[in-house]
Amino acid sequence: MSTARDLGMRACLDLLSGMAAQIVRDPDGDMVSDRDDGVVVLGMHRSGTSAITSAFAACGYYVGREADQLGPNQYNPTGHWENTRILHAHEEVFSRLGGTFFDPPPAAAQLAASGWARALLGAQVESLLVEAGSAPVAIKDPRIGGLLPLWREIIDRGLHPVLVLRDPLEVAQSLHVRDGTPLPVALAGWELHLGALIEFLAGRQVTVAPYARLLADPALVGRVVAEASAHLADSRAAQLRTDHAAEALEIQYHRNHARRGEHDEWLTQQQADLWRWLDQLPPGRQVLEVPAKLRVVRAAARAGARQETERVTLRERRAELERQLAEADRVATARVSAVEVQLSAAKGEAAAARAGQRRAEAVYQALMGSFSWRITRPLRMAKAIRRARSRRR
């Protein structure tokens, strides 16, 4: 008879066996997963990640139920192609660990919380995979770039990274338009985010998707999707229509443009070097060989990102106070209005009472002055005398 310990040991061995079956080694000897769940689209906010994800969706990648999609707005007129269940899971992590998309929690804090946080994120990904059935998935949320210590195992399990690149000055301009973020602070956030991404992706197979070049050459979009899909099993790949990729990109929504000479004015030397290296990467699948000097994020970039978090926190606090003030004003106005209605009603009732009193007095005076009242006076007096005598008896 097997003991509880034996059963527990057997379960652990089964689990390890299952994990080992999902791990193979690439030609260079690096461990990779043999699962082919789909792609994860990585990139800084306002980098074109929504547009690139829409291209994958147009080709047949599953991004989630329509009810779970973050809808369009004035900054993303065609939608975000972002699953709100994953987004809300990220927001819960930020809330519990004390961070934001611009200034994520330190890696040590994320690893300390990896037990519940990875389970939270992993459950949402697994739910998406179940919904997708045999279709590959495309997962996109720029917050992933700030939570890579938690996402590492999930990505390694079967998601191919797609790195979306956009001119950092255009990213900063877009953040300034959307959020009011000062350009130097937005550039610091870009440096922090891209620094974390290339540190994570160094030495890995990744598909590079340069936003501006894909907009300029629609035929290139299908090629990028096809190369990002090279790890898929034939049964999954056969469902894709990469010729539909270019239909998803709409160049009219590329609304912020960096002009010649502006990089020298706004970018630090580290940011300029980082963008120069990223900009020379060819579109498509490749192994990222990142120079060591670019894998160091400056303390000033972290400080800039933290400054933006504080600014946004103060802005949100001010907005909440203004909301509370507006609500208090609304309630006070409603109460004053109610009192004014009651006062008006009371005035109406008083006026009606005075009018009724005047009518009664007029009737009384008319009665007193009438002929019948005068001729019956002796009878009334006699009746009054009889009553008085009766009382004396």
Side-chain angles (χ1 to χ4, degrees):
M1 178 181 293
S2 298
T3 66
R5 181 177 178 180
D6 293 335
L7 292 173
M9 182 66 71
R10 187 176 303 162
C12 289
L13 291 172
D14 289 343
L15 177 62
L16 291 172
S17 176
M19 292 174 63
Q22 293 179 352
I23 300 296
V24 297
R25 292 183 181 273
D26 65 13
D28 297 323
D30 296 326
M31 287 192 298
V32 295
S33 171
D34 68 349
R35 282 178 55 168
D36 58 343
D37 297 330
V39 298
V40 58
V41 179
L42 304 173
M44 175 62 175
H45 291 261
R46 313 308 299 162
S47 287
T49 53
S50 297
I52 301 305
T53 307
S54 73
F56 279 90
C59 295
Y61 276 78
Y62 183 76
V63 294
R65 298 175 301 187
E66 185 175 352
D68 292 329
Q69 292 299 301
L70 186 62
N73 60 21
Q74 61 178 317
Y75 305 109
N76 285 62
T78 62
H80 291 75
W81 304 93
E82 198 165 305
N83 192 288
T84 55
R85 288 183 297 170
I86 292 176
L87 185 156
H88 293 154
H90 287 154
E91 291 298 332
E92 181 176 343
V93 172
F94 286 144
S95 176
R96 292 176 66 173
L97 297 186
T100 66
F101 79 85
F102 215 89
D103 180 25
Q110 294 186 43
L111 292 175
S114 61
W116 64 264
R118 280 188 185 140
L120 175 67
L121 298 173
Q124 298 306 324
V125 173
E126 290 300 322
S127 176
L128 192 67
L129 292 172
V130 170
E131 292 173 13
S134 62
V137 299
I139 297 176
K140 169 258 175 180
D141 182 356
R143 295 164 185 79
I144 294 174
L147 297 172
L148 289 170
L150 299 176
W151 272 89
R152 178 183 298 272
E153 290 184 5
I154 300 172
I155 293 173
D156 288 347
R157 200 177 299 146
L159 296 172
H160 174 70
V162 176
L163 177 62
V164 182
L165 301 175
R166 186 181 182 185
D167 188 307
L169 198 51
E170 294 183 0
V171 170
Q173 290 168 345
S174 186
L175 284 169
H176 179 70
V177 170
R178 190 188 71 175
D179 301 331
T181 309
L183 290 184
V185 176
L187 288 168
W190 174 87
E191 179 186 344
L192 183 65
H193 196 100
L194 267 295
L197 285 178
I198 63 173
E199 172 67 22
F200 172 74
L201 296 172
R204 294 172 180 258
Q205 284 277 350
V206 58
T207 296
V208 175
Y211 179 59
R213 274 183 269 181
L214 297 187
L215 287 179
D217 185 2
L220 191 57
V221 185
R223 196 194 94 192
V224 165
V225 173
E227 292 189 14
S229 307
H231 68 294
L232 298 178
D234 291 342
S235 58
R236 291 197 187 219
Q239 302 178 53
L240 302 179
R241 291 292 304 276
T242 56
D243 55 320
H244 290 182
E247 301 171 5
L249 299 190
E250 301 188 41
I251 195 169
Q252 69 267 31
Y253 296 126
H254 184 196
R255 290 175 287 199
N256 294 284
H257 301 271
R259 293 187 292 271
R260 185 183 300 275
E262 286 187 317
H263 293 84
D264 294 337
E265 178 182 356
W266 289 104
L267 269 62
T268 66
Q269 187 61 53
Q270 177 75 3
Q271 292 164 0
D273 291 343
L274 178 56
W275 173 238
R276 192 176 300 111
W277 179 77
L278 290 169
D279 193 36
Q280 57 81 38
L281 293 175
R285 196 179 184 102
Q286 57 201 277
V287 175
L288 281 193
E289 301 293 345
V290 184
K293 68 174 185 176
L294 298 180
R295 297 169 66 171
V296 178
V297 177
R298 298 175 307 120
R302 299 186 187 280
R306 194 159 295 115
Q307 177 185 345
E308 175 64 2
T309 296
E310 294 171 358
R311 186 189 72 84
V312 171
T313 301
L314 289 173
R315 185 185 65 183
E316 291 175 349
R317 177 58 179 158
R318 184 183 69 181
E320 175 60 19
L321 290 174
E322 289 176 348
R323 187 197 65 76
Q324 294 178 7
L325 181 61
E327 177 64 14
D329 184 63
R330 185 193 67 78
V331 171
T333 300
R335 289 176 177 172
V336 169
S337 298
V339 171
E340 288 177 344
V341 169
Q342 294 173 357
L343 181 60
S344 177
K347 288 179 177 179
E349 292 174 3
R354 287 194 296 270
Q357 183 180 1
R358 286 194 296 270
R359 288 194 298 272
E361 290 176 352
V363 170
Y364 175 76
Q365 293 300 329
L367 179 62
M368 294 296 290
S370 67
F371 175 75
S372 60
W373 181 264
R374 287 196 302 272
I375 65 173
T376 58
R377 183 179 180 190
L379 295 174
R380 292 196 303 275
M381 291 182 65
K383 187 176 181 180
I385 290 170
R386 284 197 300 272
R387 285 199 300 269
R389 287 176 177 174
S390 297
R391 284 196 293 272
R392 284 198 295 272
R393 290 176 186 172

